Amino acid sequence: MSRVWNFSAGPAALPEEVLKQAAEEMLDWQGAGMGVMEMSHRGKEFTSIAEAAEADLRELMAVPDNYRILFMQGGAIAENAIIPMNLLGQHDSADYVVTGAWSAKSLKEARRYCKAHVAASAEAGGFTSVPAMTEWSLSDDPAYLFTCTNETIGGVEYPFEPDLAAIGRAEVPVVADVSSHILSRAMDVSKYGLLFGGAQKNIGPAGLTIVIVREDLLGRSVPACPTAFDYKTVADNGSMYNTPPTYAIYIAGLVFQWLKRQGGVAAIEAQNIAKAKLLYDYLDASDFYASKVDPACRSRMNVPFFLADESLNEVFLAESKAAGLVQLKGHKSVGGMRASIYNAMPLAGVQALVDFMRDFAARKG
Ligand code: PMP
């Protein structure tokens, strides 16, 4: 068996230890005589798996007691509709900060449910930066303010945590799509009303959506909200109103345990800083490659980069693949290359990429 360095934006590489443990437990989970996929979601074995996963996530992110953790389905794109349906309550509007393709998509979906107001947008600059909070212009009475704190496609990450108290609007709950950087860095959950993300980048298999929501925001859903997507129903039923994605929750739980063994979020954040620095320092030092994102807002997780001579793109992709470095093609809307270097990508993988890039530049430059 040989495994590649996988730079996919998601579904993405998982820690090898986790995959090995899952393989060992595939036929018989800890003496249960069956695998996790075959268990009743209400049985004592799976209940213990789900409870441990939730407790470990709560510990890793220091989620305060007045927040509920929900294991849902539908992915982050479904949340673009589920969020307004749950949080609008008596309001008829919500505010959006648009920093790239994902928040733009969220805004578009919200317009089906409410008046969605653009509080700030980085579109004029080609989505290469995050507007400072002092430039955000909130509407009078929004149900919430939506942000995407790591734009996976553009490679733009907030260099600050949204904090509406700092601009005198503490009453407006902040919603954040953290799909592509959850658990990669410390986040102060108490600054947000709701955090959400698909699991398939930093957590586990696709099919699981994590929602972390402040308790006072439950019970505000609009009548048309599907019961299975009503946060209060999901919370009241311990994420088991309907059958949850049990296997994805199990793998997520193994990833949380792995993360704890790495030393938790602070330790993985230090590694992520080192990985990103290695790659961006090389990009900055080379005139063969370039990053277009404002250096202050460069994502530690998703690194889009360009070859100065774009006619070499296909050769770069073919040769990198032959060298065991895969999924480096940039998103079609951005072009160029993109290396996604989530928690499970070790420094050695980024070093292998930089070594290849240096060698390629020396041969073709
Ligand atoms: N938001 C962000 C920031 C993402 O990176 C993605 C997936 N790439 C999505 C939303 C959409 O997620 P899903 O396909 O799971 O609905």
Side-chain angles (χ1 to χ4, degrees):
M1 185 191 68
S2 83
R3 285 181 48 87
V4 291
W5 294 120
N6 176 5
F7 296 93
S8 170
L14 285 169
E16 226 167 82
E17 279 174 41
V18 166
L19 296 175
K20 282 189 179 140
Q21 184 176 345
E24 277 163 21
E25 294 177 341
M26 178 62 78
L27 299 186
D28 180 8
W29 180 81
Q30 300 188 8
M34 60 179 127
V36 175
M37 264 182 272
E38 306 167 293
M39 289 174 181
S40 161
H41 60 297
R42 302 195 191 279
K44 70 173 183 349
E45 291 95 346
F46 186 74
T47 303
S48 74
I49 289 172
E51 284 176 357
E54 185 184 329
D56 285 338
L57 179 58
R58 192 174 282 279
E59 180 186 330
L60 283 163
M61 291 185 69
V63 176
D65 288 344
N66 62 326
Y67 285 72
R68 301 296 296 268
I69 295 177
L70 312 180
F71 293 139
M72 296 184 67
Q73 302 182 64
I77 288 182
E79 289 300 323
N80 287 338
I82 295 169
I83 287 165
M85 282 195 288
N86 272 278
L87 300 190
L88 278 170
Q90 301 304 314
H91 301 258
D92 65 355
S93 69
D95 286 357
Y96 281 72
V97 177
V98 185
T99 46
W102 288 112
S103 46
K105 200 171 205 131
S106 305
L107 168 72
K108 190 168 172 222
E109 182 76 355
R111 293 207 155 122
R112 304 181 59 194
Y113 299 93
C114 64
K115 285 186 238 157
H117 162 79
V118 177
S121 171
E123 190 169 9
F127 290 136
T128 52
S129 64
V130 177
M133 263 185 318
T134 48
E135 292 165 25
W136 295 4
S137 154
L138 273 62
S139 61
D140 287 343
D141 187 27
Y144 57 86
L145 174 116
F146 186 102
T147 60
C148 174
T149 45
N150 187 63
E151 289 279 0
T152 321
I153 292 177
V156 172
E157 185 168 14
Y158 277 51
F160 54 86
E161 284 198 275
D163 181 5
L164 296 187
I167 55 170
R169 297 299 299 273
E171 82 285 2
V172 180
V174 176
V175 169
D177 177 352
V178 293
S179 293
S180 48
H181 72 165
I182 186 171
L183 291 168
S184 73
R185 61 189 303 150
M187 287 178 192
D188 179 354
V189 174
S190 72
K191 286 198 161 72
Y192 304 84
L194 186 149
L195 295 159
F196 74 99
Q200 68 271 21
K201 299 156 196 304
N202 247 347
I203 291 183
L208 169 64
T209 317
I210 304 282
V211 174
I212 302 173
V213 56
R214 214 174 57 208
E215 258 164 6
D216 62 286
L217 297 175
L218 300 174
R220 298 184 179 194
S221 63
V222 299
C225 181
T227 312
F229 290 150
D230 186 316
Y231 292 146
K232 184 161 186 339
T233 306
V234 180
D236 287 349
N237 289 278
S239 297
M240 301 224 186
Y241 174 74
N242 56 354
T243 312
T246 52
Y247 199 73
I249 292 171
Y250 158 70
I251 299 288
L254 296 185
V255 171
F256 300 151
Q257 286 165 17
W258 171 82
L259 205 46
K260 285 170 69 173
R261 291 197 297 277
Q262 309 309 301
V265 171
I268 209 82
E269 178 170 11
Q271 277 192 48
N272 287 333
I273 290 170
K275 281 151 52 186
K277 183 171 170 10
L278 177 61
L279 186 46
Y280 285 116
D281 280 355
Y282 174 65
L283 290 172
D284 287 343
S286 146
D287 9 307
F288 193 85
Y289 304 99
S291 154
K292 294 185 184 168
V293 176
D294 172 356
C297 305
R298 287 170 167 177
S299 170
R300 292 176 188 160
M301 297 284 100
N302 310 99
V303 184
F305 62 91
F306 299 84
L307 276 62
D309 178 357
E310 296 238 278
S311 72
L312 290 171
N313 282 358
E314 290 310 315
V315 192
F316 179 91
L317 287 168
E319 290 196 13
S320 55
K321 186 170 179 209
L325 308 158
V326 306
Q327 300 284 340
L328 283 167
K329 193 177 170 124
H331 190 273
K332 60 181 183 305
S333 65
V334 174
M337 308 296 154
R338 173 177 53 171
S340 294
I341 49 175
Y342 298 119
N343 286 351
M345 173 64 65
L347 186 65
V350 181
Q351 186 65 59
L353 174 61
V354 169
D355 290 347
F356 169 81
M357 289 169 68
R358 188 177 282 119
D359 175 64
F360 187 83
R363 286 185 291 110
K364 311 280 184 189

